[in-house]
Amino acid sequence: MTKINAADAGLKVIESWGVHNIYGLPGGSFDSTMNALHNRKDTIKYIQVRHEEVGALAAVGEAKVTGKIGVTFGSAGPGAVHLLNGLYDAQWDHVPVLALVGQVPTSAMNTNYFQEMNENPMFADVSVYNRTVMTAEQLPAVIDDAIAQAYAKNGVAVVTIPKDLGWQEIEDNYVSRAGNYQKPILPEPPAAKIAEAAKLLTDAKHPLIYIGTGARGARDEVIALSEKLHAPIMTSALGKGVVPDSYKANMGSAGRVASKPGVEVAGQADAVLFLGSDMPFQAYFIQPNAKYIQVDIDGAKFGRRHYVDVAILADAKKTAQALINAIDQQPETGWYRAALKNKQNWVDWMASFEDDDETPLRVEPVFKQINDMATDDAIFQVDVGNVTINGMRYLKADQRQQFTTSGWYATMGYALPAAIGAQTEYPNRQVWSISGDGGFAMVMQDVLTQVKYQMPIINVILTNESLGFIEAEQDDTQQPHSGVDLIDADYATASAALGATGFEVHTLTELKDAFAKAKDAKGPVVIDVKISDLRPLPVEQLVLDKKTQDPAAVDAFVKKYHAESLIPFRQILADEEK
């Protein structure tokens, strides 16, 4: 029988599951697996990052855009600890990731050896599977089980490998379980539940469809249901792109990372179809007495965000189609017309700033340049902070574009690593990382990774010299600004020094010129745009309606945010429901 090093056997298992890439930074405790990566360089691609957190977030970024497992690694001690931020992002956003973790040789374990840690407890909270390999022979089987568990539970699997075990020869006879893996059969919606839900929706005066990432693949069904009910649609941040952003009835989302029409229709809805989402802020935006239909494949989520009138344990796509079949065509209502007019008013208001040449620049001209340059299958990896708000509002995910962010865990420094993961798996697709200056500075050393592998990633930095999202929270609690001011830096020149093409932008002319040149650049591009620190319009606390709010406060709010053309939804709805 042919012999093989156990580490090589482990990589063969990973390859059998269709994995093409692995991200990480070597350490002494990981030498046996690094040797295996060298041996198998023709069958799996190793991407050397400059920080293990970046490697973990790159694996997450790949997993989010492919739906397949991402793989990362770290060495014993500090390398393992550095993985945690990326692994928690995978856990919270429910994507499958495998982390291989180095460990000192078995002979040195439990002796307080150099860099030795009891690593299993550290990963207990973040993982759905967490094992230390005990013999060389079991290494491929443990990795096989880890991947199966990561897929089955949409989470993080951790395999810790003592250094010496990977070097040991074993029989090359392990048969992977990958060929037997099947996606779970999603539950069918019960007819009785569909009938209950259909009645609630057709009896409602203000029905609303609220979709999340669980509705991916159901674009046509969600739109058809919206048109049959004449109900507006809302999306969670993670559900952006399920329905085209430009679709007339897509109101956007609710919360701070949200749109005006999204917040306003959420507050006026009297029946909500909550389809494949676990959006945590429902209690703040949906009326407590609104009828609520929740559809999910995880029954533990029922009632977690709002009292539920009808709970349907079923697949979102199947449920939407069943409701289409169960519901007669409903007449167009003032509610629906008002929602569409409110959406159009919002779109027109945002577009009115696209060619604004004031300095520092507003964000709208920046996103106009991004959208104009973006391909139909562009991938937008968006960081956390005000940039998330602006990305949700302004980026267009209409055709096959994909948008991801660190949704639930909300870690700054997400975009650049996630872009590395997306570009590695999709070298022929256009990939963007879009960050604030706070998030970019956390991971900017890995521009080197983009340079090393000549990744044509377009990195856009919105530099406002502030942790703007936190600054706004401090304003809302009427406390002095503390710890939110950032010094400016020339990120374009710094990135050029790392080997990228860099542009520093202050004016509209410079902005247009930088994007024009970026189209022809080879390798990674960094566009550092110096923008205003004006807070994104706080749609979660709008002050626009003089009939229901203090007129002086309305005037101050409108002046501050240049919101003269925005119309309160109450007014639009009243006009349409006469």
Side-chain angles (χ1 to χ4, degrees):
M1 181 66 71
T2 306
K3 298 285 188 178
I4 188 173
N5 282 356
D8 293 68
L11 288 187
K12 283 181 67 177
V13 170
I14 291 172
E15 294 166 15
S16 74
W17 283 87
V19 173
H20 305 132
N21 315 299
I22 184 168
Y23 308 87
L25 189 65
S29 61
F30 209 72
D31 281 349
S32 55
T33 308
M34 291 309 302
N35 182 72
L37 282 169
H38 175 77
N39 293 340
R40 304 196 64 78
K41 60 181 179 292
D42 293 334
T43 49
I44 190 165
K45 185 175 184 179
Y46 162 55
I47 302 296
Q48 177 206 66
V49 294
R50 295 304 185 94
H51 194 290
E52 292 88 353
E53 177 184 359
V54 170
L57 286 169
V60 172
E62 179 184 322
K64 285 183 180 179
V65 297
T66 64
K68 299 178 180 179
I69 195 164
V71 183
T72 187
F73 69 81
S75 56
V81 172
H82 285 165
L83 293 172
L84 281 170
N85 219 32
L87 299 186
Y88 268 106
D89 182 80
Q91 180 206 44
W92 279 99
D93 283 352
H94 306 293
V95 293
V97 166
L98 171 67
L100 303 179
V101 179
Q103 180 57 285
V104 301
T106 53
S107 60
M109 291 174 67
N110 304 320
T111 66
N112 297 314
Y113 194 68
F114 175 70
Q115 288 193 327
E116 181 198 358
M117 287 179 61
N118 182 11
E119 291 167 343
N120 287 86
M122 180 173 67
F123 293 106
D125 181 62
V126 76
S127 61
V128 298
Y129 182 94
N130 179 26
R131 299 287 188 272
T132 295
V133 176
M134 301 303 292
T135 68
E137 288 75 15
Q138 70 178 213
L139 194 154
V142 173
I143 288 177
D144 206 15
D145 198 31
I147 296 173
Q149 293 293 331
Y151 271 125
K153 298 173 183 175
N154 290 316
V156 175
V158 180
V159 176
T160 300
I161 307 171
K163 175 179 177 178
D164 57 318
L165 298 185
W167 287 117
Q168 293 180 24
E169 287 193 335
I170 62 174
E171 300 291 342
D172 188 11
N173 60 1
Y174 185 78
V175 179
S176 164
R177 294 153 53 187
N180 296 323
Y181 174 75
Q182 300 174 52
K183 291 184 178 180
I185 298 173
L186 299 174
E188 297 281 347
K193 294 283 189 180
I194 290 296
E196 286 183 66
K199 186 173 190 314
L200 287 183
L201 291 169
T202 54
D203 285 350
K205 293 182 178 180
H206 297 166
L208 173 65
I209 301 170
Y210 199 118
I211 62 172
T213 191
R216 291 209 175 275
R219 172 180 288 194
D220 293 344
E221 290 79 4
V222 170
I223 291 175
L225 181 58
S226 167
E227 294 182 349
K228 201 162 193 182
L229 276 172
H230 281 113
I233 301 166
M234 287 183 62
T235 77
S236 67
L238 295 179
K240 182 178 171 72
V242 172
V243 170
D245 286 324
S246 62
Y247 178 63
K248 61 183 180 180
N250 184 350
M251 302 291 113
S253 60
R256 280 185 70 186
V257 183
S259 66
K260 173 182 178 288
V263 168
E264 290 178 323
V265 296
Q268 293 294 322
D270 61 3
V272 179
L273 174 62
F274 198 51
L275 197 63
S277 178
D278 193 31
M279 194 269 194
F281 305 115
Q282 291 288 303
Y284 299 103
F285 297 98
I286 301 293
Q287 296 181 64
N289 60 344
K291 298 297 182 182
Y292 206 79
I293 305 151
Q294 186 171 358
V295 181
D296 209 291
I297 58 172
D298 181 0
K301 293 177 181 175
F302 291 143
R304 186 150 75 178
R305 308 301 178 194
H306 192 283
Y307 176 81
V308 174
D309 295 276
V310 181
I312 303 177
L313 185 69
D315 172 57
K317 183 182 178 78
K318 293 176 180 179
T319 302
Q321 185 59 58
L323 285 168
I324 293 167
N325 296 338
I327 292 171
D328 293 331
Q329 180 65 53
Q330 298 298 296
E332 184 177 278
T333 62
W335 160 252
Y336 184 70
R337 290 192 300 271
L340 266 54
K341 286 188 176 182
N342 197 33
K343 161 77 178 285
Q344 191 58 53
N345 176 237
W346 171 249
V347 169
D348 292 344
W349 178 78
M350 292 192 296
S352 70
F353 301 104
E354 287 183 346
D355 294 313
D356 197 303
D357 61 357
E358 69 176 59
T359 55
L361 286 167
R362 293 179 62 98
V363 297
E364 290 89 349
V366 183
F367 282 94
K368 181 179 189 301
Q369 292 298 314
I370 294 172
N371 287 324
D372 286 350
M373 184 173 165
T375 58
D376 286 352
D377 65 349
I379 298 171
F380 302 118
Q381 305 287 38
V382 179
D383 222 292
V384 168
N386 281 349
V387 66
T388 326
I389 301 175
N390 292 320
M392 281 293 295
R393 292 178 184 177
Y394 298 111
L395 287 174
K396 294 179 180 177
D398 281 341
Q399 285 83 32
R400 289 173 293 126
Q401 295 98 341
Q402 288 178 272
F403 170 102
T404 86
T405 187
S406 179
W408 274 69
Y409 188 56
T411 180
M412 292 173 63
Y414 170 84
L416 186 150
I420 290 172
Q423 192 75 82
T424 301
E425 181 63 14
Y426 294 124
N428 297 319
R429 288 177 66 177
Q430 185 188 70
V431 177
W432 299 77
S433 88
I434 306 172
S435 310
D437 45 338
F440 183 79
M442 290 180 171
V443 292
M444 64 179 291
Q445 77 284 335
D446 271 270
V447 168
L448 288 165
T449 301
Q450 298 181 7
V451 170
K452 179 171 183 174
Y453 299 102
Q454 280 299 286
M455 297 178 175
I457 295 168
I458 308 158
N459 304 273
V460 179
I461 312 164
L462 303 174
T463 299
N464 64 346
E465 300 179 42
S466 172
L467 298 174
F469 199 88
I470 308 304
E471 178 183 321
E473 288 182 347
Q474 293 182 356
D475 286 339
D476 289 344
T477 53
Q478 298 181 337
Q479 67 185 84
H481 290 169
S482 177
V484 296
D485 58 310
L486 304 176
I487 63 169
D488 192 16
D490 185 349
Y491 293 111
T493 299
S495 298
L498 298 179
T501 300
F503 301 95
E504 183 172 304
V505 169
H506 295 268
T507 67
L508 184 60
T509 298
E510 291 174 352
L511 179 72
K512 292 179 178 180
D513 184 59
F515 274 82
K517 291 177 179 176
K519 291 179 182 179
D520 300 320
K522 304 299 181 184
V525 172
V526 176
I527 304 175
D528 178 17
V529 187
K530 309 303 184 183
I531 64 165
S532 164
D533 190 30
L534 176 66
R535 178 180 181 174
L537 181 77
V539 295
E540 76 282 11
Q541 44 185 314
L542 290 169
V543 187
L544 294 174
D545 194 344
K546 288 188 176 181
K547 284 196 173 182
T548 61
Q549 296 169 306
D550 175 30
V554 171
D555 288 339
F557 185 91
V558 166
K559 181 179 180 181
K560 179 175 182 179
Y561 295 105
H562 307 284
E564 289 82 3
S565 63
L566 285 178
I567 305 169
F569 184 52
R570 179 205 55 77
Q571 178 181 327
I572 299 173
L573 185 60
D575 290 343
E576 290 297 328
E577 289 191 328
K578 285 179 181 176

